[in-house]
Amino acid sequence: MVQVIVNLLLFLSMLGTMVSAIILSREVFAFLPISGGIALARSMHIFCSFWGFVLMASHLGLHWNMILGMIRKASGPIQSKPLKIGLCLTGAAVSVYGLYSFIKNQFLSYMFLTTTFVFLILSVRSHCFFTEYLAIMDLFVFLTYYGAKRLQKLSA
């Protein structure tokens, strides 16, 4: 049921992002008779984009067992207990950095539209930007993966 809800919300988010992008793009879609609605489309685009990012990471977290299975198939299962613990702790550490980045980049203000314009600091290097966003993605993959495992245990 959780997968269905996440997938439905992700679909709606992607649809909202596409519709708002069409309204905002006056150059590419100049042949369409669209006028007005720019302010609403801008807010909708921010809202759907940030929720889409979180929902995509959650979707990935729901399928993380499958990804781990493919990795195990390709490289063989990890036999070393310290290595397993180290990988888990590394994932947790990256998630903590993701939480820091989530707060620092004010994701909640964009997700709940308390800020209606995305501020990008141009002095931040691109690899730092991508590292922070990958860490935020890891945070939601981590939370969803372990949350789904917990739900499975509770329902069993």
Side-chain angles (χ1 to χ4, degrees):
M1 189 63 160
V2 172
Q3 279 185 329
V4 171
I5 292 168
V6 168
N7 289 342
L8 179 63
L9 290 174
L10 180 57
F11 173 74
L12 291 173
S13 171
M14 293 174 115
L15 193 63
T17 303
M18 288 186 279
V19 168
S20 61
I22 290 170
I23 294 169
L24 288 171
S25 179
R26 302 252 185 226
E27 298 293 322
V28 176
F29 296 100
F31 60 91
L32 293 175
I34 299 172
S35 62
I38 294 284
L40 176 64
R42 185 175 293 122
S43 296
M44 185 173 144
H45 198 73
I46 291 169
F47 179 81
C48 290
S49 296
F50 280 87
W51 274 104
F53 182 80
V54 168
L55 290 166
M56 279 187 260
S58 297
H59 177 84
L60 187 59
L62 290 171
H63 295 287
W64 200 246
N65 258 340
M66 182 179 66
I67 294 166
L68 290 175
M70 289 189 303
I71 292 170
R72 281 186 202 106
K73 188 176 180 181
S75 65
I78 299 171
Q79 303 296 334
S80 169
K81 187 82 168 169
L83 182 58
K84 280 183 182 180
I85 292 170
L87 288 172
C88 190
L89 289 176
T90 302
V94 173
S95 292
V96 169
Y97 180 65
L99 179 60
Y100 163 77
S101 297
F102 183 82
I103 294 166
K104 180 185 138 224
N105 290 314
Q106 302 173 350
F107 256 65
L108 283 178
S109 68
Y110 300 127
M111 291 171 72
F112 293 105
L113 289 179
T114 57
T115 303
T116 57
F117 187 79
V118 177
F119 296 99
L120 295 175
I121 302 168
L122 298 176
S123 63
V124 173
R125 298 199 173 160
S126 61
H127 69 278
C128 293
F129 174 85
F130 288 116
T131 302
E132 287 181 350
Y133 274 68
L134 281 173
I136 294 168
M137 182 181 281
D138 179 75
L139 168 68
F140 286 98
V141 169
F142 193 83
L143 290 174
T144 307
Y145 175 69
Y146 285 106
K149 284 179 86 168
R150 186 84 154 144
L151 279 176
Q152 286 176 344
K153 283 184 184 178
L154 291 175
S155 66

